[in-house]
Amino acid sequence: MKNAVHLRVAAALDLVSRPLIGVGIRVGRMTSWLILVVIVAVLLTVVMNALGMNELLRWNEPVFLFGRAFTINSATELQWYLYGVLVLFASTYALHTNAHVRVDLLYHRFSPRTRHLVDLTGHLLMLIPFCLLVAYLYWPQVMMSYNSGEQSNFGGLTDRFVIKGALSVALVFMTLGAFGRVLQSLAAVLDPQRAAQESFHVR
């Protein structure tokens, strides 16, 4: 009877974990397409530089991110805006697919259940607190950037709060994903057979 309760709890935890993990995977897959936009921005910068063009387009009313004109500095800064968003949001996908860098001597030798225990502890004591703390402490910087209208000093992109805010938002996504991993690992700890039968990392 006791074992049956454990199995039901494990199944419930695994069921709740999947939407949280799924969000991180979907966001990561969507943001991966930004690499194509980064390539276009790089090519545009190279072409404008080769042709000696400082300004490509200009319009009358201010446009979000671009202000009143699209310049070579706009294209240059667009590259690191997009690449920053790509790296930040793809990190959650890397967590779920085990594509992040691991520096360990013992982890790969552990059984699936022990790996879940290690990840469960690491996520609860290190990853989740770190993400929440940085997101919380950095948010005033985002609001300061928004309220002051911070923008490029070199005729590049405006609305710099966007890229600054991306850090806090990405860390919230990472927290949700890590919490999903905690629930999934806890399910595997309660039901060792689940850990042995299922693929450890979601693909």
Side-chain angles (χ1 to χ4, degrees), residues 112-113 116 187-189 191-200:
R113 185 170 184 266
H116 279 290
V189 171
D191 182 6
Q193 187 176 3
R194 180 182 297 275
Q197 290 179 349
E198 293 187 354
S199 175
F200 178 65

Side-chain angles (χ1 to χ4, degrees), residues 40-114:
V40 171
V42 170
L43 291 175
L44 189 59
T45 304
V46 171
V47 171
M48 291 178 69
N49 185 62
L51 297 177
M53 298 174 60
N54 180 58
E55 188 174 288
L56 182 64
L57 295 170
R58 175 166 287 275
W59 39 83
N60 295 327
E61 297 297 325
V63 174
F64 179 69
L65 269 185
F66 299 106
R68 294 185 179 274
F70 185 88
T71 66
I72 191 170
N73 287 333
S74 300
T76 301
E77 292 187 5
L78 186 62
Q79 296 172 34
W80 65 264
Y81 268 53
L82 293 172
Y83 189 74
V85 170
L86 172 64
V87 171
L88 285 171
F89 287 92
S91 60
T92 304
Y93 180 84
L95 174 69
H96 296 317
T97 57
N98 199 28
H100 57 300
V101 176
R102 287 186 181 274
V103 182
D104 68 83
L105 299 174
L106 303 174
Y107 185 88
H108 69 285
R109 299 177 183 271
F110 293 156
S111 67
R113 185 170 184 266
T114 304

Side-chain angles (χ1 to χ4, degrees), residues 157-173:
L157 299 180
T158 61
D159 306 300
R160 185 155 287 179
F161 72 91
V162 173
I163 188 62
K164 289 189 172 184
L167 174 61
S168 291
V169 175
L171 288 174
V172 171
F173 271 106

